[in-house]
mmCIF file with all atom_site columns, all heavy atoms in Angstrom:
data_model
loop_
_atom_site.group_PDB
_atom_site.id
_atom_site.type_symbol
_atom_site.label_atom_id
_atom_site.label_alt_id
_atom_site.label_comp_id
_atom_site.label_asym_id
_atom_site.label_entity_id
_atom_site.label_seq_id
_atom_site.pdbx_PDB_ins_code
_atom_site.Cartn_x
_atom_site.Cartn_y
_atom_site.Cartn_z
_atom_site.occupancy
_atom_site.B_iso_or_equiv
_atom_site.pdbx_formal_charge
_atom_site.auth_seq_id
_atom_site.auth_comp_id
_atom_site.auth_asym_id
_atom_site.auth_atom_id
_atom_site.pdbx_PDB_model_num
ATOM 1  N N   . ASP S 1 61 ? -28.647 -1.339 0.103   1.00 98.00 ? 332 ASP S N   1
ATOM 2  C CA  . ASP S 1 61 ? -29.142 -0.123 -0.537  1.00 98.00 ? 332 ASP S CA  1
ATOM 3  C C   . ASP S 1 61 ? -28.002 0.829  -0.918  1.00 98.00 ? 332 ASP S C   1
ATOM 4  O O   . ASP S 1 61 ? -28.036 2.022  -0.600  1.00 98.00 ? 332 ASP S O   1
ATOM 5  C CB  . ASP S 1 61 ? -30.147 0.564  0.428   1.00 98.00 ? 332 ASP S CB  1
ATOM 6  C CG  . ASP S 1 61 ? -31.019 1.576  -0.321  1.00 98.00 ? 332 ASP S CG  1
ATOM 7  O OD1 . ASP S 1 61 ? -31.248 1.379  -1.522  1.00 98.00 ? 332 ASP S OD1 1
ATOM 8  O OD2 . ASP S 1 61 ? -31.436 2.574  0.313   1.00 98.00 ? 332 ASP S OD2 1
ATOM 9  N N   . VAL S 1 62 ? -26.970 0.276  -1.547  1.00 98.00 ? 333 VAL S N   1
ATOM 10 C CA  . VAL S 1 62 ? -25.829 1.095  -1.968  1.00 98.00 ? 333 VAL S CA  1
ATOM 11 C C   . VAL S 1 62 ? -25.702 1.085  -3.500  1.00 98.00 ? 333 VAL S C   1
ATOM 12 O O   . VAL S 1 62 ? -26.044 0.087  -4.141  1.00 98.00 ? 333 VAL S O   1
ATOM 13 C CB  . VAL S 1 62 ? -24.490 0.581  -1.362  1.00 98.00 ? 333 VAL S CB  1
ATOM 14 C CG1 . VAL S 1 62 ? -24.469 0.791  0.142   1.00 98.00 ? 333 VAL S CG1 1
ATOM 15 C CG2 . VAL S 1 62 ? -24.219 -0.876 -1.710  1.00 98.00 ? 333 VAL S CG2 1
ATOM 16 N N   . PRO S 1 63 ? -25.225 2.184  -4.073  1.00 98.00 ? 334 PRO S N   1
ATOM 17 C CA  . PRO S 1 63 ? -25.013 2.194  -5.523  1.00 98.00 ? 334 PRO S CA  1
ATOM 18 C C   . PRO S 1 63 ? -23.780 1.382  -5.919  1.00 98.00 ? 334 PRO S C   1
ATOM 19 O O   . PRO S 1 63 ? -22.776 1.406  -5.206  1.00 98.00 ? 334 PRO S O   1
ATOM 20 C CB  . PRO S 1 63 ? -24.801 3.675  -5.850  1.00 98.00 ? 334 PRO S CB  1
ATOM 21 C CG  . PRO S 1 63 ? -24.412 4.321  -4.573  1.00 98.00 ? 334 PRO S CG  1
ATOM 22 C CD  . PRO S 1 63 ? -24.905 3.470  -3.442  1.00 98.00 ? 334 PRO S CD  1
ATOM 23 N N   . VAL S 1 64 ? -23.887 0.666  -7.018  1.00 98.00 ? 335 VAL S N   1
ATOM 24 C CA  . VAL S 1 64 ? -22.749 -0.094 -7.557  1.00 98.00 ? 335 VAL S CA  1
ATOM 25 C C   . VAL S 1 64 ? -22.813 -0.027 -9.086  1.00 98.00 ? 335 VAL S C   1
ATOM 26 O O   . VAL S 1 64 ? -23.893 -0.080 -9.665  1.00 98.00 ? 335 VAL S O   1
ATOM 27 C CB  . VAL S 1 64 ? -22.802 -1.587 -7.117  1.00 98.00 ? 335 VAL S CB  1
ATOM 28 C CG1 . VAL S 1 64 ? -21.746 -2.419 -7.847  1.00 98.00 ? 335 VAL S CG1 1
ATOM 29 C CG2 . VAL S 1 64 ? -22.600 -1.728 -5.602  1.00 98.00 ? 335 VAL S CG2 1
ATOM 30 N N   . THR S 1 65 ? -21.653 0.120  -9.724  1.00 98.00 ? 336 THR S N   1
ATOM 31 C CA  . THR S 1 65 ? -21.600 -0.002 -11.182 1.00 98.00 ? 336 THR S CA  1
ATOM 32 C C   . THR S 1 65 ? -20.927 -1.325 -11.522 1.00 98.00 ? 336 THR S C   1
ATOM 33 O O   . THR S 1 65 ? -19.837 -1.613 -11.010 1.00 98.00 ? 336 THR S O   1
ATOM 34 C CB  . THR S 1 65 ? -20.802 1.168  -11.813 1.00 98.00 ? 336 THR S CB  1
ATOM 35 O OG1 . THR S 1 65 ? -21.386 2.397  -11.371 1.00 98.00 ? 336 THR S OG1 1
ATOM 36 C CG2 . THR S 1 65 ? -20.838 1.114  -13.334 1.00 98.00 ? 336 THR S CG2 1
ATOM 37 N N   . GLY S 1 66 ? -21.588 -2.123 -12.361 1.00 98.00 ? 337 GLY S N   1
ATOM 38 C CA  . GLY S 1 66 ? -21.035 -3.404 -12.792 1.00 98.00 ? 337 GLY S CA  1
ATOM 39 C C   . GLY S 1 66 ? -20.491 -3.267 -14.211 1.00 98.00 ? 337 GLY S C   1
ATOM 40 O O   . GLY S 1 66 ? -21.147 -2.682 -15.071 1.00 98.00 ? 337 GLY S O   1
#
Side-chain angles (χ1 to χ4, degrees):
D332 198 29
V333 292
V335 171
T336 305

